[in-house]
Amino acid sequence: MAVALIVLAAGQGTRMGSNLPKVLHPLAGAPLLWHALRAGAVLEPERRVVVVGHGAEAVAASAREADPEVAVVRQYDRLGTAHAALQAAPALEGFAGDALVLYGDTPFIGEDTLHALQAARSRADVVVLGFEAADPTGYGRLVMDGDRLERIVEQKDATEAERAIRLCNSGVVCADARLLMDLAAGVGNANASGEYYLTDIVALGRERGLTAGVVRCAEAETLGINTPSELAAAEAAFQARARAEAVANGVALQGPDTVFFAFDTALGGGATVEPYVVFGPGVTVETGARIRSFSHLEGCHVSRGATVGPFARLRPGAELAEGVRVGNFVEIKNATLDEGAKVNHLTYVGDAEVGAGANLGAGTVTCNYDGVSKHRSEIGAGAFIGSATMLVAPVRVGQGAMTGSGSVITEDVPDGALAVARARQVNKPGLAARLMARLRAGRTGRA
Ligand code: UD1
Ligand code: CA
Protein backbone atom coordinates (compact mmCIF):
# COMPACT_ATOMS: atom_id res chain seq x y z
CA MET A 1 0.00 0.00 0.00
CA ALA A 2 1.38 3.40 -1.00
CA VAL A 3 1.91 5.85 1.86
CA ALA A 4 1.84 9.63 2.03
CA LEU A 5 3.48 11.28 5.00
CA ILE A 6 2.01 14.46 6.50
CA VAL A 7 4.12 16.24 9.09
CA LEU A 8 2.35 18.94 11.11
CA ALA A 9 4.82 21.71 11.84
CA ALA A 10 2.87 24.97 11.92
CA GLY A 11 2.91 25.52 15.67
CA GLN A 12 4.90 28.29 17.29
CA GLY A 13 6.33 26.55 20.31
CA THR A 14 6.05 29.56 22.60
CA ARG A 15 7.36 27.58 25.54
CA MET A 16 10.77 27.12 23.90
CA GLY A 17 11.29 30.79 24.78
CA SER A 18 13.11 31.44 21.51
CA ASN A 19 12.44 33.12 18.16
CA LEU A 20 13.53 30.00 16.35
CA PRO A 21 10.47 28.00 15.22
CA LYS A 22 10.16 25.00 17.52
CA VAL A 23 10.71 22.34 14.87
CA LEU A 24 14.03 23.94 13.89
CA HIS A 25 15.62 23.45 17.28
CA PRO A 26 18.45 20.97 16.87
CA LEU A 27 18.52 17.49 18.31
CA ALA A 28 21.68 15.46 17.68
CA GLY A 29 22.79 18.01 15.10
CA ALA A 30 19.59 18.11 13.04
CA PRO A 31 16.37 20.13 13.34
CA LEU A 32 13.55 18.30 15.15
CA LEU A 33 11.64 18.38 11.85
CA TRP A 34 14.30 16.20 10.19
CA HIS A 35 13.87 13.57 12.84
CA ALA A 36 10.14 13.39 12.13
CA LEU A 37 10.82 13.15 8.38
CA ARG A 38 13.40 10.41 8.97
CA ALA A 39 10.99 8.54 11.24
CA GLY A 40 8.30 8.60 8.54
CA ALA A 41 10.80 7.65 5.82
CA VAL A 42 10.90 4.06 7.07
CA LEU A 43 7.53 3.50 5.34
CA GLU A 44 9.07 4.80 2.09
CA PRO A 45 6.31 7.37 1.58
CA GLU A 46 5.60 8.18 -2.04
CA ARG A 47 4.69 11.73 -1.06
CA ARG A 48 5.95 13.81 1.82
CA VAL A 49 4.02 16.88 2.91
CA VAL A 50 5.07 19.34 5.61
CA VAL A 51 2.47 21.76 6.96
CA VAL A 52 4.16 25.02 7.94
CA GLY A 53 2.82 28.18 9.60
CA HIS A 54 4.90 29.87 12.25
CA GLY A 55 8.27 30.77 10.72
CA ALA A 56 6.98 29.32 7.44
CA GLU A 57 9.90 30.35 5.23
CA ALA A 58 12.61 29.00 7.51
CA VAL A 59 10.72 25.78 8.21
CA ALA A 60 10.02 25.27 4.49
CA ALA A 61 13.70 25.81 3.63
CA SER A 62 14.76 23.31 6.27
CA ALA A 63 12.21 20.75 5.04
CA ARG A 64 13.51 21.12 1.47
CA GLU A 65 17.09 20.77 2.63
CA ALA A 66 16.18 17.47 4.26
CA ASP A 67 14.12 16.29 1.29
CA PRO A 68 14.22 18.22 -2.00
CA GLU A 69 11.01 16.56 -3.17
CA VAL A 70 8.93 17.43 -0.13
CA ALA A 71 5.67 19.34 -0.68
CA VAL A 72 5.37 22.30 1.65
CA VAL A 73 1.89 23.63 2.36
CA ARG A 74 1.01 26.60 4.48
CA GLN A 75 -1.52 26.84 7.28
CA TYR A 76 -2.21 30.56 7.63
CA ASP A 77 -4.32 30.39 10.80
CA ARG A 78 -3.61 27.80 13.46
CA LEU A 79 -7.16 26.53 13.87
CA GLY A 80 -6.26 23.08 15.14
CA THR A 81 -4.75 19.77 14.08
CA ALA A 82 -7.64 18.79 11.77
CA HIS A 83 -7.37 22.13 9.99
CA ALA A 84 -3.60 21.65 9.75
CA ALA A 85 -3.92 18.16 8.25
CA LEU A 86 -6.51 19.42 5.79
CA GLN A 87 -3.98 21.85 4.30
CA ALA A 88 -2.20 18.80 2.87
CA ALA A 89 -5.19 17.96 0.63
CA PRO A 90 -3.94 19.79 -2.51
CA ALA A 91 -0.56 18.08 -2.18
CA LEU A 92 -2.31 14.70 -2.10
CA GLU A 93 -4.20 15.32 -5.34
CA GLY A 94 -4.22 12.12 -7.39
CA PHE A 95 -2.67 10.07 -4.61
CA ALA A 96 -4.24 6.72 -3.73
CA GLY A 97 -3.12 5.03 -0.52
CA ASP A 98 -2.74 5.67 3.18
CA ALA A 99 -1.83 8.93 4.85
CA LEU A 100 0.30 8.89 7.97
CA VAL A 101 0.21 11.98 10.19
CA LEU A 102 3.23 12.78 12.36
CA TYR A 103 4.11 15.88 14.40
CA GLY A 104 7.25 17.84 13.60
CA ASP A 105 8.11 18.16 17.29
CA THR A 106 7.98 14.42 18.01
CA PRO A 107 11.31 12.92 16.97
CA PHE A 108 11.42 9.38 18.35
CA ILE A 109 8.63 7.39 16.67
CA GLY A 110 10.29 4.06 15.91
CA GLU A 111 10.45 1.95 12.78
CA ASP A 112 8.73 -1.11 14.26
CA THR A 113 5.93 1.06 15.60
CA LEU A 114 5.20 2.56 12.20
CA HIS A 115 5.25 -0.85 10.55
CA ALA A 116 2.80 -2.10 13.19
CA LEU A 117 0.60 0.93 12.54
CA GLN A 118 0.61 0.25 8.82
CA ALA A 119 -0.15 -3.45 9.35
CA ALA A 120 -3.08 -2.58 11.65
CA ARG A 121 -4.76 -0.74 8.78
CA SER A 122 -5.91 -4.12 7.43
CA ARG A 123 -8.07 -4.41 10.56
CA ALA A 124 -9.39 -0.86 10.96
CA ASP A 125 -10.19 2.16 8.78
CA VAL A 126 -8.47 4.58 11.14
CA VAL A 127 -5.49 3.54 13.26
CA VAL A 128 -4.26 5.70 16.12
CA LEU A 129 -0.96 5.32 17.93
CA GLY A 130 -1.57 5.25 21.69
CA PHE A 131 0.52 4.86 24.81
CA GLU A 132 0.05 4.34 28.53
CA ALA A 133 1.08 7.66 30.05
CA ALA A 134 2.82 7.79 33.42
CA ASP A 135 0.97 11.09 33.82
CA PRO A 136 -1.83 11.49 31.27
CA THR A 137 -2.49 15.16 32.09
CA GLY A 138 -2.77 17.24 28.94
CA TYR A 139 -3.08 14.39 26.48
CA GLY A 140 -6.12 13.30 24.54
CA ARG A 141 -7.58 10.13 26.10
CA LEU A 142 -8.47 7.05 24.08
CA VAL A 143 -12.00 5.90 24.92
CA MET A 144 -12.15 2.21 24.06
CA ASP A 145 -15.05 -0.09 23.29
CA GLY A 146 -13.45 -3.50 23.74
CA ASP A 147 -10.48 -3.51 21.38
CA ARG A 148 -12.09 -0.89 19.17
CA LEU A 149 -11.42 2.81 19.60
CA GLU A 150 -14.67 4.64 20.15
CA ARG A 151 -13.46 8.25 20.29
CA ILE A 152 -10.70 10.51 21.56
CA VAL A 153 -11.47 13.12 24.15
CA GLU A 154 -9.12 16.04 24.80
CA GLN A 155 -8.10 16.88 28.35
CA LYS A 156 -10.08 20.13 28.33
CA ASP A 157 -13.26 18.39 27.22
CA ALA A 158 -12.93 15.26 29.33
CA THR A 159 -15.15 14.28 32.24
CA GLU A 160 -13.66 13.25 35.57
CA ALA A 161 -14.06 9.59 34.59
CA GLU A 162 -12.44 10.12 31.18
CA ARG A 163 -9.51 11.93 32.76
CA ALA A 164 -8.80 8.77 34.75
CA ILE A 165 -8.02 6.93 31.49
CA ARG A 166 -4.29 6.44 31.13
CA LEU A 167 -4.29 5.28 27.51
CA CYS A 168 -3.40 8.44 25.59
CA ASN A 169 -3.22 9.71 22.05
CA SER A 170 0.27 10.21 20.62
CA GLY A 171 -1.13 12.29 17.75
CA VAL A 172 0.11 9.79 15.14
CA VAL A 173 -2.72 8.54 12.99
CA CYS A 174 -3.02 6.52 9.79
CA ALA A 175 -5.98 6.15 7.42
CA ASP A 176 -6.75 6.09 3.73
CA ALA A 177 -5.63 9.51 2.50
CA ARG A 178 -8.90 10.51 0.87
CA LEU A 179 -10.89 9.30 3.85
CA LEU A 180 -8.63 11.18 6.25
CA MET A 181 -9.10 14.42 4.29
CA ASP A 182 -12.81 13.84 4.05
CA LEU A 183 -13.16 13.20 7.79
CA ALA A 184 -10.87 16.11 8.70
CA ALA A 185 -13.06 18.38 6.58
CA GLY A 186 -16.11 17.19 8.49
CA VAL A 187 -14.80 18.00 11.96
CA GLY A 188 -16.35 20.93 13.83
CA ASN A 189 -14.89 23.20 16.49
CA ALA A 190 -17.58 23.13 19.16
CA ASN A 191 -15.24 22.22 22.02
CA ALA A 192 -13.45 23.78 24.97
CA SER A 193 -10.62 25.13 22.78
CA GLY A 194 -12.71 26.22 19.79
CA GLU A 195 -10.25 24.24 17.62
CA TYR A 196 -10.72 21.76 14.82
CA TYR A 197 -9.43 18.57 16.45
CA LEU A 198 -7.98 15.87 14.21
CA THR A 199 -8.81 13.49 17.04
CA ASP A 200 -12.52 13.96 16.25
CA ILE A 201 -12.15 11.95 13.03
CA VAL A 202 -12.45 8.80 15.14
CA ALA A 203 -15.96 9.55 16.41
CA LEU A 204 -16.96 10.97 13.04
CA GLY A 205 -15.77 7.80 11.32
CA ARG A 206 -17.71 5.65 13.77
CA GLU A 207 -20.86 7.60 12.99
CA ARG A 208 -20.31 6.69 9.36
CA GLY A 209 -19.95 3.01 10.21
CA LEU A 210 -16.18 2.91 9.94
CA THR A 211 -13.86 1.24 12.45
CA ALA A 212 -10.96 2.62 14.44
CA GLY A 213 -8.17 0.73 16.21
CA VAL A 214 -5.19 1.46 18.41
CA VAL A 215 -1.56 0.41 18.18
CA ARG A 216 0.41 0.94 21.39
CA CYS A 217 3.98 2.07 21.80
CA ALA A 218 6.28 3.04 24.65
CA GLU A 219 5.74 6.52 26.03
CA ALA A 220 9.38 7.42 25.27
CA GLU A 221 8.67 7.11 21.54
CA THR A 222 5.90 9.67 21.63
CA LEU A 223 7.93 12.24 23.55
CA GLY A 224 7.05 15.65 22.12
CA ILE A 225 9.32 18.64 22.64
CA ASN A 226 7.71 21.73 24.13
CA THR A 227 10.33 23.28 26.42
CA PRO A 228 14.13 23.67 26.54
CA SER A 229 14.29 21.13 29.34
CA GLU A 230 12.33 18.60 27.29
CA LEU A 231 14.74 19.23 24.43
CA ALA A 232 17.71 18.61 26.74
CA ALA A 233 16.08 15.41 28.00
CA ALA A 234 15.45 14.33 24.41
CA GLU A 235 19.09 14.94 23.54
CA ALA A 236 20.15 12.78 26.48
CA ALA A 237 17.71 10.07 25.40
CA PHE A 238 19.01 10.22 21.84
CA GLN A 239 22.62 9.93 22.96
CA ALA A 240 21.87 7.02 25.28
CA ARG A 241 20.20 5.16 22.43
CA ALA A 242 22.94 5.97 19.91
CA ARG A 243 25.65 4.74 22.30
CA ALA A 244 23.78 1.52 22.99
CA GLU A 245 23.24 0.96 19.26
CA ALA A 246 26.91 1.59 18.48
CA VAL A 247 28.01 -0.92 21.10
CA ALA A 248 25.44 -3.45 19.89
CA ASN A 249 26.89 -3.02 16.37
CA GLY A 250 30.36 -3.92 17.61
CA VAL A 251 31.87 -0.46 18.02
CA ALA A 252 34.26 -0.30 20.97
CA LEU A 253 33.34 2.68 23.16
CA GLN A 254 35.69 3.05 26.07
CA GLY A 255 33.82 5.90 27.72
CA PRO A 256 30.35 5.72 26.18
CA ASP A 257 28.91 8.55 28.28
CA THR A 258 31.51 10.97 26.91
CA VAL A 259 30.96 10.25 23.21
CA PHE A 260 28.35 12.35 21.39
CA PHE A 261 26.68 11.27 18.18
CA ALA A 262 24.82 13.13 15.46
CA PHE A 263 21.55 11.93 13.98
CA ASP A 264 23.36 10.29 11.05
CA THR A 265 26.67 9.12 12.53
CA ALA A 266 27.61 5.80 10.93
CA LEU A 267 30.30 3.76 12.65
CA GLY A 268 31.38 0.37 11.31
CA GLY A 269 31.55 -2.58 13.66
CA GLY A 270 35.11 -3.03 14.85
CA ALA A 271 35.84 0.70 14.98
CA THR A 272 37.13 2.08 18.27
CA VAL A 273 36.11 5.41 19.74
CA GLU A 274 38.07 6.56 22.76
CA PRO A 275 36.52 8.77 25.47
CA TYR A 276 35.56 12.40 24.77
CA VAL A 277 34.82 12.40 21.07
CA VAL A 278 32.14 14.53 19.39
CA PHE A 279 30.57 13.61 16.06
CA GLY A 280 28.87 16.40 14.14
CA PRO A 281 26.59 15.61 11.20
CA GLY A 282 27.71 13.57 8.21
CA VAL A 283 30.41 11.30 9.62
CA THR A 284 31.15 7.77 8.48
CA VAL A 285 33.87 5.67 10.09
CA GLU A 286 34.84 2.25 8.77
CA THR A 287 35.72 -0.86 10.67
CA GLY A 288 39.10 -1.00 12.36
CA ALA A 289 39.49 2.77 12.43
CA ARG A 290 40.38 4.38 15.74
CA ILE A 291 39.13 7.79 16.84
CA ARG A 292 41.22 8.92 19.75
CA SER A 293 40.21 11.15 22.65
CA PHE A 294 39.18 14.80 22.35
CA SER A 295 38.61 14.72 18.61
CA HIS A 296 35.80 16.54 16.80
CA LEU A 297 34.58 15.21 13.47
CA GLU A 298 31.94 16.44 11.04
CA GLY A 299 31.13 15.83 7.37
CA CYS A 300 34.02 13.43 6.92
CA HIS A 301 34.88 9.85 6.09
CA VAL A 302 37.46 7.76 7.94
CA SER A 303 38.43 4.51 6.21
CA ARG A 304 39.40 1.15 7.55
CA GLY A 305 42.41 1.13 9.81
CA ALA A 306 42.90 4.91 9.90
CA THR A 307 43.76 6.68 13.18
CA VAL A 308 42.51 10.12 14.16
CA GLY A 309 43.63 12.17 17.17
CA PRO A 310 43.96 12.60 20.04
CA PHE A 311 42.92 16.26 19.73
CA ALA A 312 42.19 16.22 16.00
CA ARG A 313 39.58 18.13 14.09
CA LEU A 314 38.11 16.75 10.87
CA ARG A 315 35.91 19.26 9.10
CA PRO A 316 33.53 18.83 6.16
CA GLY A 317 35.09 17.21 3.14
CA ALA A 318 37.88 15.43 5.00
CA GLU A 319 38.35 12.06 3.28
CA LEU A 320 40.80 9.70 4.94
CA ALA A 321 41.76 6.57 3.01
CA GLU A 322 42.83 3.30 4.57
CA GLY A 323 45.58 3.44 7.13
CA VAL A 324 45.88 7.24 7.18
CA ARG A 325 47.22 8.71 10.40
CA VAL A 326 46.05 12.10 11.61
CA GLY A 327 47.62 13.03 14.91
CA ASN A 328 47.31 15.63 17.64
CA PHE A 329 46.35 19.23 16.96
CA VAL A 330 45.75 18.60 13.29
CA GLU A 331 42.88 20.16 11.34
CA ILE A 332 41.75 18.73 8.01
CA LYS A 333 39.13 20.43 5.83
CA ASN A 334 37.93 19.62 2.30
CA ALA A 335 40.93 17.42 1.66
CA THR A 336 41.59 13.86 0.61
CA LEU A 337 44.40 11.89 2.19
CA ASP A 338 45.29 8.79 0.22
CA GLU A 339 46.29 5.46 1.66
CA GLY A 340 48.81 5.53 4.43
CA ALA A 341 49.43 9.30 4.37
CA LYS A 342 50.67 10.67 7.70
CA VAL A 343 49.90 14.04 9.25
CA ASN A 344 50.92 13.59 12.80
CA HIS A 345 51.36 16.92 14.55
CA LEU A 346 50.17 20.54 14.62
CA THR A 347 49.13 20.87 11.00
CA TYR A 348 46.44 22.47 8.87
CA VAL A 349 45.45 20.74 5.65
CA GLY A 350 42.66 22.57 3.81
CA ASP A 351 41.53 22.30 0.17
CA ALA A 352 44.19 19.73 -0.62
CA GLU A 353 44.97 16.35 -2.09
CA VAL A 354 47.60 14.37 -0.27
CA GLY A 355 48.99 11.35 -2.12
CA ALA A 356 49.44 7.85 -0.75
CA GLY A 357 52.21 7.48 1.78
CA ALA A 358 53.04 11.19 1.87
CA ASN A 359 54.35 12.51 5.18
CA LEU A 360 53.57 16.03 6.40
CA GLY A 361 55.92 17.22 9.12
CA ALA A 362 54.90 19.06 12.25
CA GLY A 363 53.55 22.54 11.66
CA THR A 364 52.80 22.16 7.95
CA VAL A 365 50.23 24.67 6.76
CA THR A 366 48.37 24.72 3.47
CA CYS A 367 47.92 28.47 3.00
CA ASN A 368 44.68 28.03 1.10
CA TYR A 369 43.06 31.44 1.46
CA ASP A 370 44.32 34.69 -0.01
CA GLY A 371 41.62 36.77 1.62
CA VAL A 372 39.28 36.47 -1.36
CA SER A 373 39.42 32.96 -2.79
CA LYS A 374 40.35 29.47 -1.69
CA HIS A 375 43.09 27.62 -3.57
CA ARG A 376 44.16 23.99 -3.69
CA SER A 377 47.38 22.31 -2.70
CA GLU A 378 48.46 19.04 -4.23
CA ILE A 379 51.01 16.85 -2.51
CA GLY A 380 52.20 13.86 -4.53
CA ALA A 381 52.40 10.28 -3.39
CA GLY A 382 55.38 9.58 -1.20
CA ALA A 383 56.29 13.26 -0.82
CA PHE A 384 58.00 14.40 2.38
CA ILE A 385 57.02 17.83 3.63
CA GLY A 386 59.56 19.21 6.10
CA SER A 387 58.33 20.61 9.39
CA ALA A 388 56.88 24.12 9.34
CA THR A 389 56.52 24.21 5.57
CA MET A 390 54.05 26.81 4.31
CA LEU A 391 52.43 25.63 1.10
CA VAL A 392 51.10 28.79 -0.53
CA ALA A 393 48.26 27.55 -2.72
CA PRO A 394 47.67 27.00 -5.54
CA VAL A 395 50.74 24.85 -5.47
CA ARG A 396 51.81 21.31 -6.28
CA VAL A 397 54.53 19.26 -4.63
CA GLY A 398 55.45 16.37 -6.94
CA GLN A 399 55.57 12.68 -6.22
CA GLY A 400 58.45 11.68 -4.00
CA ALA A 401 59.53 15.32 -3.67
CA MET A 402 60.77 16.93 -0.43
CA THR A 403 60.60 20.38 1.09
CA GLY A 404 63.16 21.70 3.55
CA SER A 405 61.89 22.59 7.03
CA GLY A 406 60.65 26.11 7.35
CA SER A 407 60.23 26.55 3.60
CA VAL A 408 57.63 28.85 2.15
CA ILE A 409 56.69 27.03 -1.04
CA THR A 410 55.15 29.36 -3.60
CA GLU A 411 56.12 27.49 -6.76
CA ASP A 412 55.43 23.94 -7.88
CA VAL A 413 58.05 21.37 -6.88
CA PRO A 414 58.82 18.81 -9.62
CA ASP A 415 58.58 15.07 -8.91
CA GLY A 416 61.53 13.85 -6.94
CA ALA A 417 63.00 17.35 -6.33
CA LEU A 418 64.03 18.90 -3.02
CA ALA A 419 62.76 22.44 -2.57
CA VAL A 420 64.36 24.75 -0.01
CA ALA A 421 62.76 28.16 0.22
CA ARG A 422 64.12 30.05 3.20
CA ALA A 423 66.95 32.52 3.95
CA ARG A 424 70.40 30.98 4.15
CA GLN A 425 71.79 30.79 7.68
CA VAL A 426 74.56 33.20 8.77
CA ASN A 427 76.77 32.44 11.85
CA LYS A 428 78.58 35.38 13.56
CA PRO A 429 81.31 33.97 15.80
CA GLY A 430 81.28 35.23 19.40
CA LEU A 431 78.49 37.70 18.81
CA ALA A 432 76.03 36.07 21.18
CA ALA A 433 78.29 36.43 24.21
CA ARG A 434 79.19 40.05 23.37
CA LEU A 435 75.61 41.03 22.79
CA MET A 436 74.53 39.45 26.06
CA ALA A 437 77.20 41.29 28.00
CA ARG A 438 76.15 44.60 26.54
CA LEU A 439 72.52 43.97 27.36
CA ARG A 440 73.40 43.08 30.94
CA ALA A 441 75.38 46.30 31.28
CA GLY A 442 72.16 48.15 30.58
CA ARG A 443 73.13 49.49 27.19
CA THR A 444 71.08 49.07 24.10
CA GLY A 445 73.53 47.54 21.75
CA ARG A 446 73.38 47.18 18.02
CA ALA A 447 74.89 44.08 16.56
C1 UD1 B 1 -2.52 16.83 20.41
C2 UD1 B 1 -3.74 15.92 20.34
C3 UD1 B 1 -3.82 15.12 21.64
C4 UD1 B 1 -2.54 14.34 21.85
C5 UD1 B 1 -1.33 15.28 21.81
C6 UD1 B 1 -0.06 14.48 21.83
C7 UD1 B 1 -5.44 17.08 19.03
C8 UD1 B 1 -6.67 17.87 19.07
N1 UD1 B 1 -4.94 16.73 20.20
O1 UD1 B 1 -2.75 17.76 21.44
O2 UD1 B 1 -4.91 14.22 21.59
O3 UD1 B 1 -2.58 13.64 23.09
O4 UD1 B 1 -1.34 16.06 20.61
O5 UD1 B 1 1.02 15.35 21.95
O6 UD1 B 1 -4.97 16.76 17.95
N2 UD1 B 1 -0.34 22.00 14.80
C9 UD1 B 1 -0.39 22.65 13.61
N3 UD1 B 1 -1.43 23.49 13.37
C10 UD1 B 1 -2.42 23.70 14.27
C11 UD1 B 1 -2.35 23.02 15.51
C12 UD1 B 1 -1.31 22.17 15.74
O7 UD1 B 1 0.48 22.49 12.76
O8 UD1 B 1 -3.33 24.46 13.95
C13 UD1 B 1 0.77 21.09 15.06
C14 UD1 B 1 1.65 21.58 16.19
O9 UD1 B 1 2.73 22.34 15.68
C15 UD1 B 1 2.14 20.29 16.82
C16 UD1 B 1 1.00 19.32 16.54
O10 UD1 B 1 0.26 19.86 15.49
O11 UD1 B 1 3.30 19.80 16.21
C17 UD1 B 1 0.13 19.08 17.76
O12 UD1 B 1 -0.45 20.29 18.16
P1 UD1 B 1 -0.60 20.69 19.68
O13 UD1 B 1 -1.25 21.99 19.75
O14 UD1 B 1 0.70 20.51 20.38
O15 UD1 B 1 -1.62 19.56 20.17
P2 UD1 B 1 -1.89 19.11 21.65
O16 UD1 B 1 -2.77 20.09 22.28
O17 UD1 B 1 -0.63 18.78 22.32
CA1 CA C 1 1.71 19.16 22.01
Side-chain angles (χ1 to χ4, degrees):
M1 170 80 72
V3 172
L5 174 67
I6 302 171
V7 178
L8 305 188
Q12 180 167 7
T14 326
R15 284 185 289 158
M16 291 304 289
S18 146
N19 285 330
L20 191 66
K22 178 162 77 172
V23 295
L24 298 188
H25 283 263
L27 173 70
L32 285 172
L33 176 64
W34 292 24
H35 291 265
L37 287 166
R38 280 171 76 91
V42 303
L43 297 185
E44 294 173 15
E46 222 168 74
R47 296 196 194 183
R48 282 88 59 200
V49 187
V50 176
V51 181
V52 303
H54 179 77
E57 254 113 78
V59 177
S62 178
R64 291 196 183 100
E65 194 187 334
D67 176 358
E69 268 148 38
V70 78
V72 177
V73 296
R74 186 145 180 186
Q75 184 192 26
Y76 285 93
D77 301 299
R78 254 75 74 210
L79 303 181
T81 45
H83 180 257
L86 205 51
Q87 307 310 308
L92 297 180
E93 201 70 46
F95 173 81
D98 278 355
L100 170 73
V101 178
L102 299 181
Y103 293 167
D105 62 1
T106 305
F108 292 135
I109 307 287
E111 181 167 358
D112 294 346
T113 297
L114 289 182
H115 284 299
L117 204 70
Q118 190 178 36
R121 272 277 298 113
S122 63
R123 303 186 294 272
D125 297 303
V126 175
V127 181
V128 166
L129 182 64
F131 64 102
E132 292 281 343
D135 173 10
T137 313
Y139 290 113
R141 309 298 207 284
L142 303 186
V143 181
M144 302 299 290
D145 169 10
D147 63 356
R148 289 283 176 210
L149 176 60
E150 190 179 297
R151 60 199 164 84
I152 305 177
V153 57
E154 291 303 303
Q155 167 88 18
K156 282 186 185 169
D157 305 290
T159 63
E160 200 70 21
E162 288 163 343
R163 285 183 187 187
I165 299 174
R166 285 188 42 208
L167 183 60
C168 293
N169 175 31
S170 68
V172 177
V173 57
C174 185
D176 173 81
R178 266 181 234 142
L179 175 68
L180 187 93
M181 290 301 134
D182 189 34
L183 291 173
V187 160
N189 68 346
N191 53 53
S193 307
E195 285 184 15
Y196 296 87
Y197 292 160
L198 187 58
T199 45
D200 281 350
I201 66 171
V202 171
L204 198 59
R206 293 267 294 197
E207 282 169 27
R208 297 191 191 172
L210 302 169
T211 57
V214 176
V215 165
R216 293 164 201 243
C217 71
E219 182 164 13
E221 273 185 62
T222 71
L223 179 75
I225 313 297
N226 299 297
T227 64
S229 80
E230 283 170 0
L231 182 60
E235 182 73 42
F238 179 94
Q239 295 301 337
R241 202 183 54 186
R243 289 162 188 153
E245 275 175 18
V247 171
N249 290 338
V251 176
L253 292 185
Q254 299 169 338
D257 291 349
T258 64
V259 175
F260 292 84
F261 293 90
F263 68 105
D264 60 352
T265 305
L267 306 182
T272 298
V273 181
E274 294 184 2
Y276 300 101
V277 169
V278 176
F279 293 101
V283 177
T284 50
V285 175
E286 291 182 16
T287 183
R290 185 177 196 93
I291 313 299
R292 306 199 56 195
S293 292
F294 303 104
S295 295
H296 187 283
L297 292 78
E298 69 182 304
C300 63
H301 176 75
V302 179
S303 300
R304 198 178 274 266
T307 305
V308 174
F311 298 98
R313 179 167 183 212
L314 300 187
R315 292 173 53 204
E319 271 284 333
L320 276 51
E322 289 187 20
V324 163
R325 299 178 71 90
V326 168
N328 42 263
F329 307 107
V330 170
E331 175 180 344
I332 313 269
K333 182 215 78 170
N334 189 26
T336 52
L337 277 63
D338 288 345
E339 260 176 66
K342 289 194 202 115
V343 189
N344 277 328
H345 334 265
L346 298 156
T347 289
Y348 173 60
V349 180
D351 303 307
E353 277 142 63
V354 178
N359 186 96
L360 277 59
T364 299
V365 174
T366 54
C367 310
N368 58 331
Y369 187 49
D370 58 17
V372 178
S373 316
K374 300 279 168 65
H375 302 283
R376 295 195 70 81
S377 301
E378 198 186 319
I379 297 165
F384 184 94
I385 307 299
S387 293
T389 295
M390 300 294 118
L391 297 165
V392 182
V395 74
R396 175 178 184 277
V397 176
Q399 290 187 14
M402 296 177 82
T403 67
S405 294
S407 288
V408 178
I409 302 295
T410 55
E411 288 166 29
D412 289 356
V413 182
D415 291 354
L418 166 66
V420 182
R422 63 187 185 216
R424 187 168 284 281
Q425 183 169 327
V426 181
N427 289 339
K428 302 197 172 181
L431 190 59
R434 288 200 323 262
L435 177 61
M436 201 55 88
R438 247 192 265 173
L439 291 172
R440 289 213 180 91
R443 279 181 278 149
T444 53
R446 283 182 51 139

